[in-house]
């Protein structure tokens, strides 16, 4: 698995809730902060104050291997109450990553999915890949597994938040 192939990972969970209740949580950009070990803070930028195409927000993250960093994100697609997509902006026109939440009615409640795709623009993995190109597949796989762990925590947190409300 190579970075240039824009690998994607997704986590799906069915929760006993309404699409409206799930949508209100997954469109709260602060929601993942409550459940992530990496994402530390988020804030809307400019006059943005909610999920809509063109809205921008900043995320601040921390990882033991790379320290703390901030990225600017751009909401690129919104289909209420089903799906919203944002790109992590890179130093050029290509996004560093694309992330999304999807909400789908299901027989037992609501199917909620979080997915993310690497690239195509250079990211924090790029220096490690350039330094050890023979380890690229392992570097990418390790990062995807970290994303999976974080997404799983988000969706389990969503389930818990819904149970409390």
């Amino acid at each position: 698995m190579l970075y240039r192939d824009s690998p994607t990972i997704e986590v799906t969970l069915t929760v006993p809730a309404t699409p409206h209740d799930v949508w209100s949580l997954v469109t709260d950009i602060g929601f993942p902060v409550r459940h992530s070990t990496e994402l530390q803070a988020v804030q809307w930028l400019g006059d943005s104050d909610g999920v809509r195409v063109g809205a921008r927000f900043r995320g601040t993250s921390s990882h033991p291997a790379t320290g703390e960093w901030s990225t600017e994100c751009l909401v690129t697609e919104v289909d209420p109450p089903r799906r919203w997509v944002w790109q992590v902006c890179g130093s050029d026109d290509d996004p560093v990553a694309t992330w999304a939440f999807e909400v789908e009615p299901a027989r037992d409640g609501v199917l909620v999915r979080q997915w993310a795709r690497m690239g195509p623009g250079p990211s924090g993995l790029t220096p490690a890949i350039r330094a050890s190109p023979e380890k690229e597949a392992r570097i990418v796989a390790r990062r995807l597994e970290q994303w999976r762990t974080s997404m799983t925590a988000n969706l389990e947190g969503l389930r818990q938040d819904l149970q409390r409300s």
Side-chain angles (χ1 to χ4, degrees):
M1 174 176 351
L2 301 177
Y3 186 85
R4 70 172 177 251
D5 298 329
S6 295
T8 302
I9 189 115
E10 88 175 32
V11 174
T12 304
L13 181 68
T14 301
V15 294
T18 67
H20 177 268
D21 290 341
V22 173
W23 182 252
S24 67
L25 278 175
V26 300
T27 55
D28 170 4
I29 62 168
F31 157 72
V33 173
R34 295 192 299 269
H35 306 289
S36 175
T37 58
E38 189 169 306
L39 183 62
Q40 303 297 301
V42 291
Q43 68 182 43
W44 290 110
L45 298 175
D47 63 352
S48 299
D49 62 357
V51 171
R52 63 175 169 71
V53 173
R56 292 184 177 273
F57 62 94
R58 175 172 295 113
T60 301
S61 300
S62 179
H63 189 280
T66 55
E68 187 173 295
W69 71 96
S70 291
T71 56
E72 187 172 311
C73 301
L74 171 67
V75 178
T76 58
E77 183 182 338
V78 181
D79 180 14
R82 299 183 41 107
R83 169 182 164 108
W84 79 282
V85 180
W86 68 97
Q87 293 180 337
V88 180
C89 304
S91 57
D92 54 19
D93 290 338
D94 289 328
V96 170
T98 302
W99 289 76
F101 279 107
E102 296 176 344
V103 177
E104 183 179 324
R107 186 179 50 151
D108 299 344
V110 176
L111 184 75
V112 60
R113 177 180 304 111
Q114 185 177 16
W115 60 263
R117 178 176 52 243
M118 289 184 176
S123 75
L125 294 183
T126 303
I129 292 169
R130 286 186 181 145
S132 301
E134 72 284 359
K135 296 179 182 176
E136 180 175 4
R138 191 171 358 158
I139 293 166
V140 168
R142 183 175 305 129
R143 189 64 174 141
L144 287 174
E145 191 52 40
Q146 291 168 348
W147 282 6
R148 177 187 304 280
T149 299
S150 184
M151 289 179 203
T152 300
N154 284 340
L155 297 189
E156 286 298 333
L158 176 102
R159 181 196 319 261
Q160 292 168 8
D161 290 353
L162 289 166
Q163 287 174 344
R164 281 186 230 129
S165 59

